[in-house]
Amino acid sequence: MTKAEASGRVTSGVAGRLGRFAGLALLAVLLAAGPCRADVMVPAFTPEQIGGTLRGNFNAEPQTLNPLTYKDLYGRIVNEYVIEYLIDRDWDTLEFKGILADRWEVSPDGLTVTFHLNPKATFSDQTPVTADDVVFTYETVMNPKIDCRNVASSYEDCKACEKVDDRTVRFIWKKPFFLSLENSGGLGVLPKHVYQFKDPKEFNDLNDVLVGSGPYTFSKGDWKTGQHLILRRNEHYWGNRPSFDQIVYRFILEEQPGVQALLAGELDVLPVSPEWWFKLRDREDVKSGFNLFRYSTPKNGYNYIGWNNERPPFNDPRVRRAMTHLVWREQILKHMWYDVGSIATGPFWSQSPQDDKTIKPWPFDREAARKLLKEAGWEDRNGDGWLENAAGQRFEFEFCSASGDQLTRDMVRVIGEEFRRMGIDMHVRLYEWSIFTVKLDNHDFDCIMLSWGGGGVEDDPFQIWHSSQIADRGSNFISYRNAEADRIIEVARATLDVPKRMELWHQLQQLLHREQPYTFLFGRESLRLVSKRVKGAQVHKMGMFPIEWWVGKDAAAPAEGKAP
Amino acid sequence: MSSLLPTTQSGPTVRARSYGDIVWRQLRKRPAAMVSLGVIVLLAFVAVVAPFIAGEVPIRWVENGETSWPIFRYLDNLEYAGMLAFLLVLLLPVTVRLVRVRAERAATSPFVRALFIHAAVWLTVTAVLIAVRTPERRYGFFLERVGEAQSAWFPFIPTPRHPGYESLAHRDKAPTWRHPLGTDRLGQDIVLRILYGARTAMTIGFVAVGIGASIGVVLGSISGYFGRGIDLVLMRVAEVFMFIPQIVLIIIILAVMPSWVPQLWAVVVVIGVTGWTGYYRYMRAELLRVRGEDYMTAARALGIPTWRLLLRHAIPNGMAPILVSATFGIAGAVFLEASLAFLNLVQTPSWGELLNDGRQHIMGTWWAWGSAGAAIFVTVLVYNLLGEAVRDAIDPKLKI
Amino acid sequence: MKTYILKRLLLMIPTLLGVTMLTYFIVRLAPGDPIEAMIRNQSGNIDPKAMKESADKIRERLGLFEYHFLRDRLYGPEKEWEEKPTGAVFWVTDAADKVASAGVGYVQWFARLCMGNFGESIKYRTSSGSRNAILLIIERIPVTATLNIISEFLIFVVAIPVGFAAARYQGRWFDRASSFVLLVLYSIPAILAATVLIGFLGVGGEGLHWFPIAGLHKFGYEKMDWGASLADLLWHTALPVVCLTYGGLAYMAKMGRASLLENLRADYVRTARAKGLPEGRVVYHHALRNSLLPMITMLVLTIPGLIGGSVIVEGIFSIQGMGLLLLEASKAYDLALIMTETLLYGVLVLVFLLIGDILYAWADPRVRYE
C-alpha cells in the first residue's frame, strides 16, 4: 500500500473515494453537505410513513454521476443513494455489518477476505447481484485507463479479486494491512450488464448513467442542469421499502438564497455554515418550523496551518511550536467559528479510539513562544522590533492561502497579525486555486492554511506523514521527515491487533504534537436545519442519514405542486 | 509668429485671459462644482493623513522623560510621497502664476510647465526617500505599552491598524465615541477602513485614469497626426480593447501579475490599460478635425512644422473633452474597483469589500454597509457633479 | 451607403481577430493549470498523482494538449525528468515553448472555429449534458436578454418623457428637480442598490419579504400556465431589473433633455415660431420628432454596455445569464467558453455600433458616410 488513499476509507470506502484534500475554499461546502449516506440500513417503515418528497439542496452542480469517476461531494451524495457496498460500519456502534454481503471471513493472516453475497440482493432492474458484478467492478477500478485513480489506490496492495462461485468472492492481499477488510468491503458494486464497455473512454464519458442496487434510482432525464436532480424510489428494492417517492436536490449555489428557500418552505433540509447557524438559531420562525442538528462525523476533517518543514526557519520544531503558541485557537473558535467545532490536537477524528485523548492542545502563550524562538536563535538583536537570527537575517515569511472564502481570509489576517506583533515580518498572499495548486506541488511556500476532509473512523496517516510521500507530488507536501514517525506508521499499518495498533497511533499523535509539523486548528462539525415536516431525523455517531427519514403520504409539500 | 494665430495665449501688452482662466472663472460661478471640488480635496486630504486620524502609532510619545514623535518614523515612503503629491497639486496655481510672470512668450503654456516642474520635484523627492529612508514598522507595539508612557498623543481614533485576537472580542459593535462608525465583523474600526478605502479609491481614480488618459492622448495624437495606415491600425487596436470584456481582462491579468506586485497596483494598471480607448477616440477626432481647419493651412504655408502646430494648439484644444471624460472616468474607476472588491475579485482595502461585509446583516450592521455605501456614493456623485460642471464650463454642447 | 457597410464589415475582421488572439494568449499564458485547479477545487482530491492523471484524461477528451516541441528536444519529456531543470536557458526555452504552444493552440482554435466547432467547456454542461461552448451560451442568452429587454423597455418608457419634459420646461422646478434626482440616481453604484434592495425587500432578508433574490423562477414553474409563469418571472426579475435600469435611465433622460434642447434652439424651430405656429405644434410636431430619432440610435448604442453591466448584477443576484457565465468562466480559465463569449460579445458590440451608425445616418440626412 504505497498510496494511502485508503486512509479515508473507513466508512466503507466512501470517504476514500472522495479523497481528502479539501481546501478551505471547500470548507463551507463540506460543512454544508456533511456526510449524508444512504445504504441498505433502510428501516422498516409503516405504510403511512411511505410517500412524499424530500427536498434538499446542492451548493454546486455535480460534475458527473459516474460511480467511479466522480470526484465531488455531490456526485458522492447521489451515488450513495444508488450504489451499495459489500459491508459498512453500523451508524452507532461503528462495527461492520453486511449489506450486499451477508457473511464474510478474514483469514488469520489477514491476507484473504471472503464475502458471501446476500442471495436476495438485486439491482434496480431486478437482475441479481452476483460475484461476476463484484469482479467486474474491481477490474474496472483497477483498469489504468479508467479515471478513478483515487479509488484504485485503495487496492494497490490487493493482489486479486476472485470469483469463488456465483455468490462468493475473495479478495487476496499482498501483505497484512489493517484496512484490508474495510477496503475490500467498501467496493460499491456496479451491474456488469449495464456498465460493460469495450473502450475505457466510453466508460469515462458516462456522465449520467447511474444504476445500482440501492434504495433509490436515478434516470437520465432527472438531472436538469441549473435546476434540480431527482432520485426516485427503487420500487424493486430488495430490502425494506424506502420511504420517499422521490428525493429532489435543487441547485442553489449560494448560501443566502438557500436559507431563504428553506425559510420560504421550498426546502426540507439545508446544511448551513456556522455564521448562518448563529444568525438563525434564535429566530422564532426557525425554532418553530425546524429542528437544528449539530454533529461531528469522521468525514468532517480538520484544518491546519502547514509549515514547510524543509525551509528555514520552519525546519526547527521549536519555531513551529512557538508559532502554535501564537495561534489563539480558543478565541478564533469562539468568535470566528461561532463555537462550532473543536480544537484539534492531531490528525485523527476526535471520537475515534485512534485519537489520544490525553493530549492537551498547546495553549496561546506569547511568553512561551518568545522563549522558544529565543532558544532557536530568533530575537530582536538590533532593537528595531523585528526578530533576527545570529546572522542578522530578519524572520520573514509568506503566509499563503487560497483566496476562497471570507472565513479563510479573515483567519489568515487575524493569525498573521499576531505573528507580526511578535516581530515576525509576515506577508499574506492569497492565491487563486489554479496557481495555489502549482505552488503546493512544487513545495514553493513557507506556510499554508488548508484543511483535510473526510478522514475515517480509523484513519491511515501514511499518505500525509510518511516521508516517502514527499517526493513526486505526494500529499506530504510540507516535507515532514521523521524516522520515528515513518517506523510507527509502517509497523502500525501491518498490525492487525486493534489495541496494539491504537497504542501505536497514540504514539504517532504524541510525536506530531511535540513536533508540530502542522499547527492543528479545528476539527469541524456539520450543522443542519431540517424542517419539522420531516420525521425521524436524528444524529448517529456516523452522522445523519436521510434514508431513515419520512414525511408520510399525506404531508403536502408546501410551495410545490400547488400550480395546476 | 504666434500673434498671427488665434491662440489662447496672451499678447505682448494686453494680459488676455488664458483658456484655463476662462474655464476656471466659469467653474467658480457654479456652487455645485465648488462644493464637489471641496469634497474631493477633503477626501484626498483625509486619505493622505489617514494615519493621523485613526491608527495605532502615536504622534507624540513620552517615555522615561524622553519625547519622541513616532508617527513620522513609521510613515511609509509612499505615504510621504502621497502627502507631497497632495501639497504639490494644491500649490499648482501658485507655480502657474510664477511661471507665467517669468516667461510670457514661452513655447509651452505656463500650466504645462508648472506641471512638469511639480512632477520633477515629486519624482526626485520620492526617489530620494525610497533610496534613503527605511520606515520603522512594528505592530501593536505602542497600544500594548500605553501604560509605560508618561504622555502619549494618539490619533483621534486609537485603534490597531489590523484586526488581532483582542479586536475579535468587540466585533460588530454599533457606533460609540470610541468607534464613531462602529466596528466590523473582526472588530476593526470602520472609520479606519473608510480612510484606507479612500486611499484605494483615490489611487485608483487618479492613477488609473491618469494612465488611461496618457495612453489615450499619446496614441490619439499619433493616430491623428499620421492618419492613414497608422491610424487604421491604432483604431483597430483600440477596438480590440473596447470589445474584450473588461472583467475577463481584469481577472486574468490579476492572476498573471507576479506575487510581489501589490494587488492595488495591479488593479490600477489593469483599469488604466483597459480604459484608454475613450480618450484615444476624443483626441484622435480632435486632431483629425483640426488638421483640416483653415488656420492650419495658413500656418503651414508660413512654414511652421505640422507637429509643432499640433503640439502647441491642437492637442491643448483636444484636452477639453479629455478633461471632462477623465473626471467622469474617475467616478467610473472608483465604481469599478468597488464592484470588483464587492465580488471578491480583488483583495484591496476597499469600500466595496466593506459594503460586501455588511450586506449579510442589513439591519444588524447598518453602520458597516451604510458608511461604505455612503462613501462610494458621495465620491461618485461629486466627480459626476464636477464633470458636468467642467463640461458646461468648457463647452455645454460637448456630448460626453 | 452599401460600400460603407461593406467596408465596416471588412474592418470587423481584423478587430475580431485581434480580440480573440489577445484573449487567447492572455488566458493561455496565465500561470496555473485550470483543469487541475478545477478538479481540486471541486473535489478536494487528495492524491496529486491521481489528479494529474484525471487532468490528462480530461485534456485528452477536450482535445487540449501540451505542446513542448522545443523543450522536449532539449530536456526530454516532463515525465522523465528527475528534477525540474533550472537556469536561464531552461527559462527561455520554457517561455518560448509556452508562447509557441499558445500560438499553435490559437491556430487550432481558429481552424476549428471555421468548421463551426467552438470547443468544449471544462467546467459547465448544458441541461442536455453537452459541453459545447456555443450551446452553453445559447442556453443562457434568453436569461440575459429577458433582463435587458425589460430594462431597455423601462428606460425608453421612463427616460424619454422625463428628459423631454425637463427640456420643455427648462429651468423650471421640474427641470431642476429631475436633473438633480437623475444625477443622484446615476451616481448610486449598482452594488449599493442591490445591497439595499436585497436587504430590505428581499425574501428572507431582514426587512419586508417582498421579492425573491435569486434565480428567475419559482421551483416547479414549468407546471404553471403562461400568465402565472409571466407573473412569476416579473416578480423574480423585479430587483435585478431595477438595478440594471436606473443608471441607464438617468443617462438616457439627460441625453433626451440635451437632444430636445438642441432642437428647440435650432433655426427651424425659430422659423416655425416666427411663422406663428402654435407652441404645442412646434414642440411636439417638429422638435420632438427630430430629437426622438437620435435617442433611438443612442438606445441601440447602449445595448452592448448593458450586457457588460449585467455581469455585476447577475453576479449579485446569482442569475444564470451570460454575464455570470463569463465571470465564472474567467475565474476558472475555461478557455473555450471565454473565447466563445468574447467573440460573441465582440460581434454584438460591432453589430450594434454599425446599426447605430446606420440609424444615425438614416435619421439625419446631413450625415453622409463614404
Side-chain angles (χ1 to χ4, degrees), chain C residues 32 51 57 72 96 98 105 168 218 324 339:
Chain C
M51 193 189 58
K57 283 185 179 111
D72 286 355
K98 275 186 189 144
R168 176 82 177 80
K218 210 174 184 167
L324 190 60
M339 292 304 296

Side-chain angles (χ1 to χ4, degrees), chain C residues 296-317:
Chain C
I296 296 174
T297 315
M298 194 81 84
L299 204 66
V300 170
L301 289 177
T302 56
I303 289 174
L306 273 177
I307 296 169
S310 49
V311 173
I312 289 167
V313 172
E314 284 176 13
I316 296 174
F317 286 95

Side-chain angles (χ1 to χ4, degrees), chain C residues 40-58:
Chain C
R40 230 176 224 186
N41 195 4
Q42 296 233 334
S43 68
N45 190 339
I46 186 176
D47 183 345
K49 271 179 261 170
M51 193 189 58
K52 182 92 184 159
E53 269 179 30
S54 294
D56 285 343
K57 283 185 179 111
I58 293 180

Side-chain angles (χ1 to χ4, degrees), chain A residues 5 21 71 147 149 260 473, chain C residues 43-44 46 48 53-54 203:
Chain A
E5 191 49 37
F21 190 91
K71 289 177 183 66
D147 179 17
R149 169 74 181 260
Q260 289 170 15
R473 292 161 53 112
Chain C
S43 68
I46 186 176
E53 269 179 30
S54 294
V203 170

Side-chain angles (χ1 to χ4, degrees), chain A residues 3 5 20-21 26 63 71 144-145 147 149 205 207 223 225 227 260 434 437 463 472-473 475 564, chain C residues 32 37 40-50 53-54 57 61 123 125-127 203 213 222-223:
Chain A
K3 284 252 74 64
E5 191 49 37
R20 303 185 10 193
F21 190 91
L26 267 187
Q63 279 293 300
K71 289 177 183 66
K145 293 236 165 90
D147 179 17
R149 169 74 181 260
D205 284 347
N207 282 328
W223 180 8
T225 308
Q227 296 184 18
Q260 289 170 15
S434 51
T437 55
Q463 190 177 5
D472 204 13
R473 292 161 53 112
S475 288
Chain C
R40 230 176 224 186
N41 195 4
Q42 296 233 334
S43 68
N45 190 339
I46 186 176
D47 183 345
K49 271 179 261 170
E53 269 179 30
S54 294
K57 283 185 179 111
R61 204 189 65 220
K123 193 170 177 187
R125 292 150 43 94
T126 61
S127 53
V203 170
I213 59 151
E222 302 96 332
K223 293 179 218 151

